[in-house]
Amino acid sequence: MKEIHYVEADEAVRAIRSGDHIHLGSVASVPHVLIDALVRRADAGEVKDLHFHHFHTEGPAPYADPKYSGIFFEQGFFVGPNVRASVNAGYADYLPVHLFDTQRLYRNGTIRLGAAMVQVSMPDSNGMVSLGTSVDCSPAAIESARVKIAVVNPNVPFAYGDLIPLDAFDYLVRDDTPLFTKEYTEPSETDILIGKNCAELVSDGACLQMGIGSLPNALAAQLTGHKDLGIHTEMFADGVLGLIRKGIITGRNKKIDQGKIVASFLLGSSDVYSFIDHNPDVLMKEIGYVNDPWVISRNPKVTSINSATEIDLTGQVSADSIGTRIFSGTGGQLDFVRGAAMSDGGVSMIALASRTNKGMSKIVPTLHPGAGVVTPRADIQWVVTEYGAVNLQGKSLQERARLLISISHPDDREALERSAFDRFGPHWNIINICR
């Protein structure tokens, strides 16, 4: 075991070279003290052409600021609000990838990492540390990078799952900055209606993937009458805590990780972070395990609930973009859609409001030009809005159009029917009338 000693952030980042690709710990646990030190090196003219890779990150993102063009280049696996404007202006970029595959990009050398910069918990008695709220693809980055830098922060919870030896790192930096937290807005009336429609498709003993945000929280509020639910999800937040504390989530019916809550990253209140700290019922695992469709499918009744920016009348789902404008990322949607499809008794749902906040229909004749297809129409199963739920699996294009129109906003149905008629011809109209 090598000798452990700590250095200042500025000393640690001196090991980073111009041209390096850098992995950042993500979401609530971004190592901002190291980013700030790199900014100081950039301002001093010491580095250039640094490429950053990560999931969604909370907090400032100077690596995407136009003023650092030619010095920093953002190439995230997911686009959050802090980098969205720069990505769509061309000062930063987006690397489309299913989250399950991010670790593979590092391990097989597709992305040759110069450095991995992460935050970790205080070590345990065996010298092991936890990546806490954001394991994501960091274990692969730590294995693959030339330089491995960890910020040891007492605010990072010690979560069981994939632990890392402290002596795996080349540089250790102390910091006690609190992790980023997020308070989610109260579910809207539309969210509540969608949550109710989704809850009707969740059976007792189901293993859930349900994400974070106001809609998953609305769904969680509708599951209080269910029994023995499980959790295997890339992320979760405060919404599930109430179900856990009421004994509704037990994981009793899971075939793998039985009784355990499995996730890869979190974003929520400090209550969530405290909940996972030294909690043997929670496993925070690498995304290559959590989002592996085959691993997902090993549990029965996997029920995945994901959202979308729009869906066309044939069932193609866009979730990462609005036309050519990148909004978020492919994420793990298809990982779980396919995992649920292979699960015994599995159910996958795409849940979305029928309209945007500006009153535009999210069920559209065709996706906006340039929009990315995240879930192909061949993979789609249930689609849920505030007006109901329809199952597109095993349905033809014309049948899908009719079903999707039935759960669109009432004021949009006539226009959608005209579009379907134009696309499919009078035969579609005859089928519609006959049924």
Side-chain angles (χ1 to χ4, degrees):
M1 182 175 177
K2 65 185 180 184
E3 183 181 355
I4 303 296
H5 68 279
Y6 290 82
V7 300
E8 296 298 318
D10 292 279
E11 179 180 343
V13 301
R14 286 194 197 109
I16 294 173
R17 306 167 184 167
S18 293
D20 275 347
H21 287 251
I22 301 169
H23 167 80
L24 292 178
S26 304
V27 197
S29 195
V30 182
H32 284 286
V33 66
L34 299 179
I35 295 170
D36 293 343
L38 271 180
V39 169
R40 288 191 287 272
R41 287 197 71 196
D43 290 339
E46 296 176 359
V47 286
K48 61 182 179 179
D49 192 30
L50 298 179
H51 302 253
F52 290 86
H53 308 287
H54 53 77
F55 292 7
H56 160 74
T57 57
E58 289 290 308
Y63 42 84
D65 194 309
K67 74 179 183 180
Y68 289 110
S69 179
I71 300 174
F72 299 147
F73 194 48
E74 156 76 358
Q75 294 176 305
F77 303 138
F78 196 89
V79 176
N82 60 349
V83 299
R84 195 171 291 147
S86 293
V87 168
N88 287 297
Y91 292 104
D93 208 353
Y94 162 54
L95 198 161
V97 60
H98 300 297
L99 292 190
F100 162 57
D101 273 331
T102 53
Q103 48 83 33
R104 197 196 314 267
L105 295 180
Y106 291 158
R107 287 195 170 108
N108 69 14
T110 300
I111 296 176
R112 295 190 180 278
L113 284 177
M117 305 198 314
V118 299
Q119 284 205 102
V120 299
S121 70
M122 301 296 289
D124 68 7
S125 58
N126 296 314
M128 304 297 286
V129 292
S130 168
L131 289 156
T133 62
S134 193
V135 179
D136 54 78
C137 57
S138 291
I142 294 163
E143 290 173 20
S144 308
R146 185 190 74 251
V147 178
K148 314 162 202 305
I149 307 174
V151 175
V152 181
N153 188 333
N155 293 299
V156 173
F158 190 99
Y160 296 110
D162 288 334
L163 303 179
I164 308 291
L166 190 63
D167 63 5
F169 296 97
D170 300 301
Y171 297 92
L172 300 172
V173 176
R174 298 184 193 274
D175 188 43
D176 60 0
T177 303
L179 302 188
F180 279 83
T181 58
K182 187 173 181 66
E183 301 292 339
Y184 295 97
T185 58
E186 287 296 314
S188 66
E189 183 178 343
T190 297
D191 290 333
I192 292 169
L193 290 171
I194 296 171
K196 288 179 178 178
N197 290 335
C198 289
E200 290 180 2
L201 300 175
V202 178
S203 61
D204 287 342
C207 183
L208 300 178
Q209 175 255 333
M210 52 192 291
I212 56 178
S214 59
L215 180 53
N217 286 348
L219 169 60
Q222 303 301 319
L223 295 175
T224 54
H226 284 65
K227 298 178 181 178
D228 289 327
L229 299 178
I231 296 288
H232 184 109
T233 182
E234 65 191 20
M235 55 185 165
F236 70 88
D238 296 68
V240 302
L241 292 189
L243 297 176
I244 296 167
R245 289 164 177 161
K246 290 176 182 176
I248 293 164
I249 292 175
T250 64
R252 189 172 293 133
N253 291 346
K254 294 175 72 175
K255 297 299 183 185
I256 59 168
D257 303 317
Q258 189 175 50
K260 306 292 186 182
I261 297 161
V262 176
S264 194
F265 54 94
L266 311 175
L267 179 60
S269 71
S270 56
D271 191 21
V272 176
Y273 306 160
S274 296
F275 172 76
I276 70 169
D277 187 42
H278 289 93
N279 186 342
D281 293 331
V282 177
L283 296 178
M284 297 295 293
K285 302 278 287 181
E286 184 187 37
I287 202 73
Y289 174 83
V290 175
N291 279 42
D292 184 333
W294 183 80
V295 171
I296 294 165
S297 72
R298 290 173 65 193
N299 281 312
K301 295 185 179 180
V302 171
T303 302
S304 72
I305 303 101
N306 290 282
S307 194
T309 52
E310 60 182 3
I311 180 170
D312 76 7
L313 288 178
T314 72
Q316 294 188 115
V317 173
S318 182
D320 66 345
S321 52
I322 301 171
T324 58
R325 186 166 69 91
I326 299 298
F327 183 77
S328 55
T330 301
Q333 182 172 122
L334 193 58
D335 299 338
F336 277 92
V337 166
R338 289 183 169 165
M342 294 187 292
S343 165
D344 183 15
V347 174
S348 74
M349 306 178 218
I350 299 296
L352 71 167
S354 64
R355 281 181 159 182
T356 69
N357 292 334
K358 295 181 179 179
M360 303 296 292
S361 181
K362 289 189 176 184
I363 297 175
V364 294
T366 58
L367 299 180
H368 282 77
V373 175
V374 170
T375 295
R377 55 191 168 208
D379 288 287
I380 197 72
Q381 197 179 101
W382 286 91
V383 181
V384 184
T385 73
E386 69 270 33
Y387 293 103
V390 293
N391 189 354
L392 304 188
Q393 192 173 41
K395 301 297 191 296
S396 70
L397 298 184
Q398 295 183 34
E399 289 173 317
R400 288 165 178 236
R402 181 176 56 81
L403 289 169
L404 286 167
I405 291 170
S406 75
I407 60 169
S408 67
H409 192 283
D411 292 345
D412 296 323
R413 292 176 188 175
E414 183 178 349
L416 289 170
E417 286 175 353
R418 285 198 300 269
S419 295
F421 181 87
D422 291 341
R423 178 168 187 168
F424 299 118
H427 183 64
W428 179 86
N429 200 37
I430 292 170
I431 291 174
N432 197 30
I433 291 170
C434 291
R435 295 190 183 183

